[in-house]
């Protein structure tokens, strides 16, 4: 598509965008009485309208029914998490018994590693992407120690080629092959939080399996950003958070995927609790753990209702719209952002170094940009102009135009603000 850097062009794209009205369903923070230009949906998604009423509903039901709310509440608390199975499965391309909502992301990653990181003999290495989210790396290291291993002996961080920001597919696949029978686990982010690179998950999974290793993904920046087919790709396990692209509020409940071939295996090692126990006999309160034949077997505690309310509303929006349509818009919206950044660079001479791949197949909606000569104060300067972006040390701003609620006009206006700042 031929883009233009002007307001009426951006507005015409919005006018032709069937998803544009979805924006009305979200609450935008205000700056000086006007909605901000919000580009940090990759960090904390906006609040869907209706969350407050839904929270009040649970408070009212608790007041009205007390313990009986487990069965009498409008949204029964007993089995509350089961209501997510359909939407979560659709979101990540899974069967309903392969997904469960529980805990939060890093907790879930650690729980899954208990099962899927089983170092044995020389097969004990964990391969992960360059510059993973630190929480993941801490989890890998702590799991190594749990097995009496020295993290520096078993953690393998993939490095890009000299002078490059992203990992090449052929290099990843080659590294997996090279590690061969020393490799216990490959665990990448689906989309890297820093560079915004989207990894070829299907091929990574196949390569890991060919090497005899397990393969899992942290989908914090992937779920709700790009379509996924975890079941068909044969991924062993995955986890994600719901407060970023999934708009479910700060610290909201996490999601877990465990492939069908594993959920049927009762003998897998896992940390157990009563909510993972066979539902039919759970309340006989017997001493022996009998795992459910679903991802729920990994959940230990009863559902944190208040931490799930917003997700119910948000996930319904994804189910209604579908990831394919969101992705279709997202590719164009991010391409427009790229075009606008190029225009700003051309007009102002300010160097804007993109570290996100140019190929839409290798990125989600986020663009990470090194703004040559600026430091983190730039984020505050932008905020004073009503623009919300975030900064990642040492020198990167991340911009995430989210197809659910960002418009082409937002992107154009961001360009205008940047131009004004850089021209000085
Ligand atoms: C956001 C993010 C986290 C945060 O972990 P929490 O347990 O939700 O605090 C972890 N890993 C990745 C890859 C992330 O992007």
């Amino acid at each position: 598509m031929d883009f233009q850097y002007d307001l009426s062009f951006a507005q015409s794209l919005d006018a032709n965008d069937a998803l544009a009205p979805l924006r009305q369903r979200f609450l935008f923070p205000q700056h000086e009485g006007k909605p901000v230009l919000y580009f940090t949906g990759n960090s904390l998604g906006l609040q869907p309208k209706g969350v407050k009423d839904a929270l009040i509903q649970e408070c009212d039901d608790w007041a009205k029914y007390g313990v009986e709310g487990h069965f009498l509440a409008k949204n029964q608390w007993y089995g509350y998490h089961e209501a997510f199975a359909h939407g979560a499965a659709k979101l990540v391309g899974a069967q309903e018994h392969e997904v469960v909502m529980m805990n939060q992301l890093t907790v879930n990653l650690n729980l899954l590693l208990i099962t899927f990181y089983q170092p044995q003999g020389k097969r004990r290495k964990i391969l992960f992407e360059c510059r993973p989210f630190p929480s993941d790396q801490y989890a890998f290291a702590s799991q190594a120690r749990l097995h009496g291993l020295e993290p520096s002996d078993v953690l393998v961080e993939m490095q890009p080629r000299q002078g490059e920001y992203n990992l090449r597919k052929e290099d990843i696949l080659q590294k997996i092959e090279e590690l061969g029978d020393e490799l216990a686990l490959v665990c990448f982010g689906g989309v890297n939080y820093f560079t915004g690179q989207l990894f070829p998950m299907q091929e990574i999974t196949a390569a890991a399996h060919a090497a005899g290793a397990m393969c899992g993904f942290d989908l914090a920046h992937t779920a709700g950003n790009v379509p996924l087919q975890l079941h068909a790709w044969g991924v062993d396990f995955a986890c994600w958070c719901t407060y970023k692209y999934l708009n479910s509020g700060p610290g909201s409940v996490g999601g877990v995927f465990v492939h069908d071939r594993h959920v049927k295996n009762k003998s897998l090692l896992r940390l157990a609790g009563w909510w993972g126990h066979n539902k039919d006999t759970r309340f006989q309160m017997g001493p022996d753990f009998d795992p459910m034949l679903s991802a729920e077997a990994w959940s230990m505690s009863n559902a944190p209702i208040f931490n799930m309310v917003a997700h119910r509303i948000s996930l319904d929006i994804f189910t209604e719209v579908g990831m394919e349509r969101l992705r279709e818009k997202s590719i164009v919206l991010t391409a427009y952002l790229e075009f606008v950044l190029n225009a700003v660079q051309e007009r102002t001479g300010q160097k804007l170094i993109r570290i996100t791949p140019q190929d839409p197949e290798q990125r989600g909606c986020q663009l990470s940009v090194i703004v040559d000569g600026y430091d983190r104060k730039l984020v505050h300067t932008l905020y004073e102009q009503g623009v919300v972006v975030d900064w990642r040390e040492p020198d990167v701003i991340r911009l995430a135009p989210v197809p659910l609620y960002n418009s082409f006009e937002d992107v154009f206006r961001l360009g205008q603000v940047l131009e004004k700042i850089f021209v000085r």
Side-chain angles (χ1 to χ4, degrees):
M1 187 185 295
D2 282 336
F3 290 132
Q4 292 164 31
Y5 180 46
D6 72 54
L7 179 61
S8 61
F9 177 79
Q11 287 173 336
S12 75
L13 288 181
D14 288 327
N16 289 314
D17 170 18
L19 304 188
L22 291 168
R23 181 181 173 89
Q24 308 304 329
R25 300 204 211 168
F26 291 87
L27 297 165
F28 280 73
Q30 307 278 308
H31 178 74
E32 293 176 351
K34 284 195 312 214
V36 297
L37 297 175
Y38 196 77
F39 288 99
T40 42
N42 57 346
S43 191
L44 186 76
L46 291 181
Q47 183 182 147
K49 290 176 183 168
V51 169
K52 202 188 218 173
D53 286 345
L55 281 166
I56 290 169
Q57 173 80 47
E58 302 307 340
C59 287
D60 286 350
D61 285 351
W62 181 19
K64 197 160 147 195
Y65 301 117
V67 70
E68 299 301 332
H70 284 297
F71 296 98
L72 297 180
K74 181 168 170 237
N75 309 301
Q76 281 196 0
W77 302 328
Y78 183 79
Y80 189 95
H81 61 293
E82 292 167 10
F84 294 113
H86 175 71
K90 197 165 172 235
L91 185 79
V92 300
Q95 298 175 353
E96 293 190 14
H97 70 295
E98 291 175 317
V99 293
V100 64
M101 304 309 295
M102 63 188 210
N103 312 311
Q104 288 172 260
L105 178 54
T106 310
V107 173
N108 289 336
L109 179 60
N110 271 297
L111 291 177
L112 290 164
L113 289 172
I114 295 274
T115 302
F116 294 103
Y117 177 56
Q118 293 289 331
Q120 248 153 27
K122 67 190 274 212
R123 191 182 283 289
R124 51 193 198 162
K125 290 192 169 154
I126 305 176
L127 178 70
F128 51 93
E129 85 244 46
C130 165
R131 215 198 265 266
F133 197 89
S135 196
D136 297 24
Q137 202 162 346
Y138 307 154
F140 300 148
S142 61
Q143 293 286 330
R145 290 203 179 90
L146 207 54
H147 290 277
L149 299 168
E150 200 43 57
S152 59
D153 291 339
V154 295
L155 267 53
V156 184
E157 179 174 349
M158 247 270 24
Q159 294 300 332
R161 294 187 190 188
Q162 189 75 34
E164 296 185 10
Y165 295 105
N166 302 124
L167 297 173
R168 297 195 194 188
K169 179 169 85 183
E170 64 267 30
D171 292 352
I172 300 171
L173 302 183
Q174 195 197 325
K175 186 78 184 175
I176 292 172
E177 202 185 322
E178 209 177 280
L179 288 168
D181 61 3
E182 292 182 9
L183 194 59
L185 171 70
V186 178
C187 192
F188 273 51
V191 171
N192 179 265
Y193 85 102
F194 189 77
T195 63
Q197 179 176 14
L198 167 62
F199 295 110
M201 286 175 269
Q202 182 172 13
E203 284 152 297
I204 290 174
T205 305
H209 289 168
M214 289 285 176
C215 188
F217 292 96
D218 181 330
L219 303 175
H221 282 264
T222 324
N225 183 9
V226 296
L228 294 159
Q229 289 297 335
L230 298 182
H231 176 82
W233 297 340
V235 171
D236 293 293
F237 69 91
C239 47
W240 59 95
C241 59
T242 61
Y243 49 82
K244 292 173 180 166
Y245 292 105
L246 294 172
N247 312 314
S248 303
S252 51
V253 69
V256 158
F257 164 88
V258 180
H259 198 279
D260 174 65
R261 65 177 169 275
H262 300 305
V263 299
K264 287 181 180 142
N265 183 356
K266 284 195 181 188
S267 66
L268 284 178
L269 178 71
R270 77 195 107 210
L271 297 187
W274 73 323
W275 236 244
H277 184 94
N278 181 351
K279 224 165 63 167
D280 299 332
T281 55
R282 184 181 294 152
F283 280 89
Q284 291 172 12
M285 305 303 233
D288 298 317
F289 180 65
D290 176 22
M292 294 181 69
L293 297 176
S294 72
E296 285 175 78
W298 276 261
S299 71
M300 295 190 275
S301 297
N302 74 97
I305 306 303
F306 287 99
N307 203 20
M308 291 177 152
V309 166
H311 191 51
R312 201 138 160 164
I313 290 171
S314 177
L315 190 61
D316 281 351
I317 301 176
F318 282 87
T319 305
E320 175 192 329
V321 183
M323 275 315 300
E324 275 67 29
R325 289 171 73 206
L326 286 169
R327 176 67 168 160
E328 211 176 293
K329 171 175 175 183
S330 178
I331 286 174
V332 185
L333 190 61
T334 294
Y336 189 54
L337 174 60
E338 192 163 46
F339 170 84
V340 164
L341 291 174
N342 285 337
V344 169
Q345 177 167 281
E346 221 163 85
R347 286 170 179 227
T348 63
Q350 171 62 45
K351 245 177 145 180
L352 300 170
I353 303 156
R354 251 55 62 68
I355 65 171
T356 307
Q358 277 193 335
D359 175 7
E361 296 299 315
Q362 292 184 58
R363 68 187 186 197
C365 74
Q366 171 187 328
L367 293 184
S368 303
V369 186
I370 298 175
V371 188
D372 198 30
Y374 281 82
D375 61 20
R376 67 178 310 135
K377 287 201 277 294
L378 177 62
V379 171
H380 300 287
T381 311
L382 281 164
Y383 188 70
E384 282 163 14
Q385 305 288 324
V387 179
V388 185
V389 307
D390 84 358
W391 179 266
R392 282 291 173 266
E393 294 298 344
D395 54 7
V396 164
I397 56 170
R398 301 186 305 167
L399 303 165
V402 167
L404 262 183
Y405 50 72
N406 280 121
S407 63
F408 290 90
E409 182 171 340
D410 284 349
V411 172
F412 169 77
R413 292 196 184 280
L414 169 69
Q416 295 279 283
V417 172
L418 289 173
E419 211 182 312
K420 220 165 73 184
I421 292 170
F422 296 148
V423 117
R424 282 186 209 144

